[in-house]
Amino acid sequence: MSGNNKDLETLEQETKEWLYSLDYVLEHGGPERVTELLQQLQIRAHKAGVKIPFTANTPYINTIPREKQPPFPGNREIERRIKSIIRWNAMAMVVKANKMESGIGGHISTYASAATLYEIGFNHFFHGKGEDYDGDQIYFQGHASPGIYARAFLEGRLTIEQLENFRRELKPNGGLSSYPHPWLMPNFWEFPTVSMGLGPIMAIYQARFNRYLEDRGLKKPGGHVWAFLGDGETDEPEALGAITLASRERLDNLIFVINCNLQRLDGPVRGNGKIIQELEAAFRGAGWNVIKVIWGTDWDPLLDKDKDGKLVKRMSEVVDGEYQKYSVESGEYIRNHFFGKDPDVLKMAEKMTDEQLQKMKRGGHDPEKVYAAFKSATEHVGQPTVILAKTIKGYGLGESGEGKNITHQQKKLNEDEMKEFRSRFGIPISDDDIANAPFFRPSDDSSEMEYLKARRQELGGFVPSRKGDVRPIKTPPEEIFEEFYKGTEGREVSTTMVFVRILAKLLKDKEIGKYIVPIVPDEARTFGMESLFRQVGIYSHVGQLYEPVDRDSLLYYKEAKNGQILEEGITEAGSVSSFIAAGTAYATHGINMIPFFIYYSMFGMQRIGDFVWAAGDMRTKGFLIGGTAGRTTLNGEGLQHQDGHSHLLAYSVPTLVTYDPAFAFELAVIIRDGIKRMYEDKENIFYYITVMNENYPMPEMPGNVKEGIVKGMYKFKASDKKNAKMKAQLFGSGTILNEVLKAAAILEEEYKVASDVWSVTSYKELRKDALEVERWNLLHPNGPQKITYISKMLAKEEGVFVASSDYVKTLPDSVAKWFPRTLHSLGTDGFGRSDSRAALRDFFEVDAKHIVFAALNGLVKDGKLKPAELDKAMKKLGINPNKKNPMQS
Ligand SMILES: Cc1ncc(C[n+]2csc(CCOP(=O)(O)OP(=O)(O)O)c2C)c(N)n1
Ligand SMILES: [Mg+2]
């Protein structure tokens, strides 16, 4: 270092001059000028090859200094009392539930640490929906639900009985769900957050979708999205995985509040580090506005005294594990271990008693600090904000859990612990009553209740609250779909191409066109959707700031502020979050948006299954379209791309209606029916439809088979060989239906087997119907028995039953027991391969020859054909009995 040549005094003098200059500029030019100058200095130094140390961190103190703190507009005392009562009731709810019903669970410590964060929001910031749906969207941390219920109880929205039935949802009058579930409490919860990590990313895309609606003129500007999450939760890849989207899109309508209680379930989040600093660096690096709320008001005088930064240095060097220890230790311990490490720092605390030291608050428990942060966040322009609030897990639980590693699991308090809690928060419950952990609600005319209600009224009504009843949409007219009922007159197309054409037509429809939201994760060209780029534009808040490279072509890459397509890039998690935001817009904004999320089917259910589950919970509406589906239809791509099981995974989502259509008319009927059921009849369902990329002529709809298509199965082609001795009923789905048709022809021509061909559009729908009938008949044995749709269709059908699909055999097997006779299932169990369609269909044994052989085999078993015929057929068809089992190879 060249500075080494100078003597110490000169160096000190030089430093002083620089600092003096900085003070001068700050005084005369303000902070902006200082920033400008520092940037210039940085550039100059960088050009000269100076390596400037990088840190994305600021010191370990509050971002908003005391001088910049706004006055607190509320009544501190009343708000404290309200909060204390809510704390008590939240705790009592869990304790009671576990007293009466041991092991029923619940969480006390999460809300205990977050109470101030929520209460400042409820009293000053969270906007209710009002009449016009112009409120905020708030993602409450799932494990904090007892606190949210406890507040709703004070607000008069929940009864004592409901509180007593926390986690007892099957009680005759209903109970409260453990966590936020719109499916279970559709007038209360909006966002399921308890699968950790999903809340934060869904909130980001919610904020982005709000912007989309505003930019397209479908919603008034305004409202914030608040996402409350745990510090441990940020380890989930989804939690931080999309934060750059929020800053790139300048989502200043988005606020994350991360409750940094330094603990997760098992222990410290970062015992050896500092989660707040780690998160600060990540969010600042990603371009967010970061507000740290670390220290409470009682630290301010000490920080004022800290002229040489020794206290701040000490604050910055202590690791989280140690801070956690302070939260359970005495004042004396804190004096010795925190302050005592540096004599100057120790001196700062000399006038304070041990008790005072122990009671010094963390920022997240200080209403004035939290208020300042929230206010600053809501006023911040141009960036999303994250508030990193330091708290203590289990705050107020004292010996029974505050700051302890076991606190997350704490569900029971003994009498003494409850007395202590009661006294600490001043709840008017006598020692005699305390054993029952009674709920407490002040009288309606008390100052607390009046205050609380007035605040919510001023802020537009209660939160959380969900409205699900929106005006229905009129299903688009049949004319739009008729073209598809007619077939393609020999022209070869794929169901994917048909889907894109249906989508393009829906987008043009005067009534519903503007409500359609096409969503793609960088696969539009894969599905031949690029014509839509130009037709409706790709949404971008800033429009298009560049001349696209293909501007001269007809289908150029058009980005526009009122663009309609959400081109999400390579993020299925992000895309499905947009799908959910769009598909729940009827409830959040009162607008019936109709999302179509089209993606590679292999990167759907198995990759983002948890989101799809959450979508079901949220009563999301819309169409998930699994493209390039089918284990053998997507030739060439191989093991990772060939999907033979997404339909099986879709079985697990109760409200997901699934279809595997083969022909254009089927797809058209399904989509029209879907719009009708979801948006006109207002059913709480959503759709998963697979489309494939194999081209073949689309036939005309054979008569009125619409009902059968929707119900899951219809006879596509009846054999005209009425007097044949041998018969077969062949079932196919998706493109494999073509193999089934080929098989039928072979069976008829070469083996004299009359073969009817059925298209099975949905095994899941067939199974749902059958299960319902079976259950009804079981429970009503002496009444008239119902008949399954399968029976209605097949009871009189003769011959062998063979089903083949491009999906696993479990699909046909899932309905086999309701078939009149044995169903022989062919399917694509096993890992995919890269090869041609023909080779793959041979490998997986789902092609025409295997269907023929399975049918002949069945006929032999039924005694209709001699066994010797099978050897001959095997040779003729070219089936190798010793080929490898695709399941095991
Ligand atoms: C995806 C997922 N994994 C695991 C859990 C189980 N779980 C519930 S709460 C919790 C710890 C939460 O810690 P943190 O996020 O810090 O929240 P805190 O309760 O401390 O506020 C865990 C592991 C879950 N709910 N979701
Ligand atoms: Mg935590």
Side-chain angles (χ1 to χ4, degrees):
M1 263 217 303
S2 59
N4 284 348
N5 301 335
K6 297 183 183 173
D7 61 38
L8 204 61
E9 209 175 308
T10 323
L11 282 176
E12 272 184 8
Q13 185 56 32
E14 193 177 72
T15 309
K16 266 196 191 139
E17 279 169 20
W18 277 70
L19 293 177
Y20 174 76
S21 309
L22 185 103
D23 290 344
Y24 179 86
V25 178
L26 187 60
E27 201 177 317
H28 295 90
E32 273 139 40
R33 179 69 191 133
V34 172
T35 310
E36 250 170 51
L37 277 178
L38 287 174
Q39 276 167 351
Q40 288 299 323
L41 282 173
Q42 198 176 357
I43 293 168
R44 179 72 66 94
H46 187 78
K47 276 187 175 162
V50 178
K51 287 215 172 70
I52 297 173
F54 170 77
T55 172
N57 277 123
T58 60
Y60 198 63
I61 50 174
N62 295 347
T63 306
I64 302 172
R66 195 217 322 235
E67 316 78 74
K68 293 266 167 68
Q69 227 172 279
F72 186 76
N75 181 324
R76 279 285 307 268
E77 182 47 30
I78 293 188
E79 289 192 21
R80 190 186 63 77
R81 288 208 302 274
I82 294 171
K83 184 168 63 185
S84 296
I85 297 166
I86 295 174
R87 280 180 184 285
W88 170 267
N89 288 332
M91 179 276 292
M93 196 183 317
V94 178
V95 169
K96 236 188 222 305
N98 287 282
K99 257 193 184 168
M100 293 188 302
E101 207 63 38
S102 68
I104 204 144
H107 298 83
I108 302 174
S109 59
T110 300
Y111 179 74
S113 67
T116 302
L117 303 177
Y118 285 120
E119 278 304 294
I120 291 297
F122 279 117
N123 283 323
H124 302 280
F125 293 97
F126 299 161
H127 286 271
K129 272 197 182 51
E131 289 301 306
D132 311 333
Y133 288 87
D134 52 0
D136 295 340
Q137 282 91 52
I138 304 155
Y139 290 68
F140 294 96
Q141 208 184 333
H143 294 76
S145 60
I148 312 306
Y149 290 139
R151 175 166 246 273
F153 167 63
L154 280 203
E155 290 168 346
R157 300 200 290 149
L158 296 176
T159 62
I160 287 210
E161 192 187 0
Q162 284 175 299
L163 258 57
E164 279 171 347
N165 288 332
F166 172 55
R167 291 190 168 226
R168 303 294 310 278
E169 295 182 86
L170 302 179
K171 286 276 185 180
N173 292 333
L176 299 176
S177 67
S178 50
Y179 302 116
H181 293 301
W183 183 259
L184 303 172
M185 295 175 65
N187 302 319
F188 193 86
W189 293 116
E190 292 184 282
F191 307 108
T193 45
V194 85
S195 179
M196 307 184 91
L198 303 197
I201 188 170
M202 289 197 296
I204 291 175
Y205 282 85
Q206 178 72 58
R208 197 306 206 77
F209 190 72
N210 293 356
R211 273 287 155 73
Y212 168 90
L213 291 177
E214 289 165 10
D215 286 342
R216 292 192 51 216
L218 293 167
K219 164 188 177 297
K220 267 192 302 184
H224 281 95
V225 175
W226 298 78
F228 285 80
L229 48 149
D231 47 359
E233 182 172 7
T234 60
D235 282 338
E236 290 287 1
E238 291 90 347
L240 301 193
I243 58 174
T244 52
L245 172 101
S247 43
R248 190 164 66 243
E249 301 265 337
R250 300 183 197 140
L251 297 179
D252 52 18
N253 59 346
L254 175 67
I255 299 166
F256 269 22
V257 181
I258 307 187
N259 177 17
C260 297
N261 55 24
L262 314 185
Q263 290 177 244
R264 44 181 165 72
L265 191 151
D266 282 341
V269 176
R270 294 290 182 271
N272 293 318
K274 290 164 98 72
I275 188 64
I276 290 180
Q277 297 301 87
E278 184 180 322
L279 291 173
E280 176 186 41
F283 279 94
R284 283 187 83 207
W288 284 52
N289 174 41
V290 179
I291 303 177
K292 295 195 288 193
V293 186
I294 303 180
W295 308 107
T297 303
D298 32 19
W299 288 89
D300 284 337
L302 296 189
L303 284 161
D304 282 347
K305 278 194 230 166
D306 185 35
K307 296 291 177 228
D308 52 8
K310 287 187 171 168
L311 175 61
V312 174
K313 179 169 172 289
R314 184 72 195 125
M315 287 169 159
S316 301
E317 71 198 11
V318 172
V319 293
D320 282 356
E322 189 116 358
Y323 276 118
Q324 187 189 341
K325 178 98 169 130
Y326 302 149
S327 72
V328 301
E329 281 292 351
S330 64
E332 187 193 356
Y333 183 94
I334 295 168
R335 186 186 306 281
N336 294 339
H337 289 80
F338 179 75
F339 293 94
K341 283 274 150 64
D342 178 328
D344 291 336
V345 177
L346 186 62
K347 206 156 183 288
M348 288 181 187
E350 73 188 352
K351 295 229 172 71
M352 300 176 76
T353 64
D354 285 352
E355 202 191 343
Q356 280 173 322
L357 287 184
Q358 201 206 17
K359 280 198 169 151
M360 285 172 78
K361 277 209 188 87
R362 295 193 176 169
H365 296 301
D366 186 323
E368 300 196 12
K369 301 288 181 198
V370 173
Y371 176 83
F374 282 19
K375 183 164 192 299
S376 169
T378 52
E379 289 167 0
H380 189 79
V381 176
Q383 285 174 302
T385 294
V386 58
I387 292 165
L388 302 170
K390 186 169 177 171
T391 63
I392 292 173
K393 190 147 178 167
Y395 186 70
L397 293 180
E399 280 302 299
S400 47
E402 183 168 299
K404 298 197 169 150
N405 276 339
I406 50 87
T407 192
H408 191 84
Q409 306 293 81
Q410 182 62 286
K411 301 176 197 315
K412 292 182 186 170
L413 262 56
N414 63 32
E415 221 171 296
D416 287 340
E417 289 164 344
M418 276 197 294
K419 278 183 194 156
E420 203 180 307
F421 193 105
R422 182 258 342 247
S423 305
R424 176 161 179 182
F425 293 109
I427 311 295
I429 290 172
S430 71
D431 281 1
D432 293 345
D433 291 339
I434 205 122
N436 295 327
F439 297 121
F440 175 70
R441 189 164 182 258
S443 66
D444 280 345
D445 58 1
S446 63
S447 53
E448 292 92 341
M449 296 293 270
E450 278 176 359
Y451 184 90
L452 169 139
K453 290 209 166 146
R455 294 308 307 144
R456 286 315 315 159
Q457 206 164 3
E458 164 112 16
L459 288 162
F462 297 122
V463 285
S465 94
R466 184 179 177 281
K467 286 191 195 177
D469 199 26
V470 65
R471 261 197 307 138
I473 274 185
K474 185 114 190 54
T475 307
E478 282 281 18
E479 291 93 78
I480 294 189
F481 300 93
E482 261 153 18
E483 147 191 3
F484 307 101
Y485 303 161
K486 288 192 189 122
T488 52
E489 294 173 340
R491 207 162 37 88
E492 297 197 336
V493 296
S494 66
T495 44
T496 304
M497 288 155 80
V498 173
F499 163 71
V500 175
R501 173 124 185 97
I502 293 175
L503 185 63
K505 285 186 92 172
L506 288 174
L507 281 161
K508 284 194 186 125
D509 183 69
K510 276 199 205 69
E511 293 293 320
I512 67 162
K514 62 173 184 277
Y515 301 118
I516 305 278
V517 186
I519 304 168
V520 274
D522 200 32
E523 299 284 4
R525 290 181 202 280
T526 312
F527 305 122
M529 289 171 71
E530 59 269 43
S531 62
L532 297 183
F533 289 166
R534 177 70 197 281
Q535 183 188 327
V536 292
I538 295 163
Y539 170 69
S540 159
H541 181 57
V542 295
Q544 193 152 34
L545 305 176
Y546 61 97
E547 167 140 356
V549 65
D550 51 0
R551 183 69 180 81
D552 294 340
S553 79
L554 201 62
L555 307 177
Y556 78 96
Y557 196 85
K558 179 182 159 196
E559 298 197 58
K561 190 163 179 178
N562 64 355
Q564 199 162 347
I565 300 172
L566 288 172
E567 162 61 90
E568 301 293 16
I570 311 167
T571 165
E572 282 77 13
S575 305
V576 73
S577 299
S578 281
F579 173 79
I580 291 170
T584 52
Y586 73 96
T588 36
H589 298 300
I591 318 168
N592 275 308
M593 302 303 289
I594 310 177
F596 284 86
F597 168 27
I598 176 156
Y599 55 90
Y600 243 116
S601 72
M602 266 300 260
F603 304 123
M605 295 299 160
Q606 70 178 24
R607 178 148 190 151
I608 48 162
D610 206 13
F611 286 93
V612 177
W613 183 257
D617 187 348
M618 280 171 85
R619 299 163 178 255
T620 306
K621 302 187 181 187
F623 296 91
L624 298 168
I625 307 286
T628 55
R631 183 98 73 209
T632 69
T633 305
L634 179 62
N635 55 0
E637 286 288 353
L639 185 150
Q640 184 57 72
H641 288 68
Q642 290 164 349
D643 166 30
H645 53 279
S646 63
H647 275 289
L648 178 61
L649 300 177
Y651 265 49
S652 59
V653 184
T655 50
L656 191 57
V657 180
T658 63
Y659 289 101
D660 179 15
F663 298 134
F665 64 84
E666 293 180 357
L667 186 58
V669 166
I670 290 162
I671 290 179
R672 184 166 190 275
D673 184 62
I675 295 176
K676 179 173 184 306
R677 286 182 66 186
M678 291 187 283
Y679 297 95
E680 187 169 322
D681 304 343
K682 299 201 275 184
E683 283 190 57
N684 285 299
I685 50 176
F686 62 133
Y687 278 64
Y688 176 53
I689 306 172
T690 41
V691 289
M692 298 177 154
N693 65 351
E694 184 175 352
N695 294 337
Y696 44 88
M698 293 293 159
E700 189 178 356
M701 182 152 64
N704 193 358
V705 291
K706 286 182 187 167
E707 189 189 339
I709 293 171
V710 166
K711 290 202 154 161
M713 174 173 76
Y714 69 97
K715 192 183 275 187
F716 175 69
K717 190 168 173 282
S719 171
D720 48 18
K721 287 199 170 16
K722 298 285 172 242
N723 300 321
K725 286 206 190 89
M726 291 186 289
K727 291 203 166 158
Q729 305 298 325
L730 307 179
F731 301 84
S733 316
T735 61
I736 297 299
L737 189 56
N738 292 316
E739 294 293 326
V740 175
L741 286 163
K742 270 190 248 167
I746 298 171
L747 281 166
E748 295 211 343
E749 280 158 30
E750 298 181 25
Y751 298 92
K752 300 201 170 41
V753 181
S755 303
D756 292 344
V757 174
W758 299 75
S759 175
V760 180
T761 49
S762 176
Y763 284 107
K764 190 180 180 196
E765 284 300 292
L766 292 180
R767 183 171 163 83
K768 219 160 44 180
D769 164 80
L771 288 176
E772 196 178 317
V773 168
E774 189 174 75
R775 175 178 176 275
W776 170 273
N777 291 344
L778 178 74
L779 297 175
H780 304 86
N782 299 324
Q785 298 285 283
K786 293 188 176 182
I787 301 171
T788 63
Y789 177 71
I790 296 173
S791 269
K792 266 184 223 155
M793 293 293 108
L794 303 181
K796 296 204 186 99
E797 299 292 355
E798 296 170 277
V800 288
F801 293 101
V802 179
S804 186
S805 91
D806 223 0
Y807 287 83
V808 290
K809 293 173 186 163
T810 323
L811 262 56
D813 287 349
S814 76
V815 296
K817 73 165 167 168
W818 295 285
F819 271 54
R821 288 179 298 286
T822 305
L823 174 64
H824 303 271
S825 305
L826 304 177
T828 58
D829 299 63
F831 286 118
R833 291 284 191 290
S834 21
D835 212 313
S836 67
R837 285 188 185 121
L840 288 167
R841 287 171 186 171
D842 173 53
F843 177 74
F844 282 105
E845 301 158 15
V846 294
D847 56 4
K849 63 177 179 292
H850 283 93
I851 299 167
V852 169
F853 191 71
L856 296 176
N857 202 309
L859 288 164
V860 168
K861 288 213 176 82
D862 290 350
K864 305 264 183 198
L865 192 69
K866 289 200 194 95
E869 293 298 319
L870 287 179
D871 290 335
K872 275 196 247 166
M874 193 174 267
K875 279 204 191 86
K876 195 167 162 195
L877 292 164
I879 289 176
N880 170 12
N882 298 317
K883 75 187 270 287
K884 279 186 189 157
N885 180 352
M887 265 283 264
Q888 293 156 5
S889 58

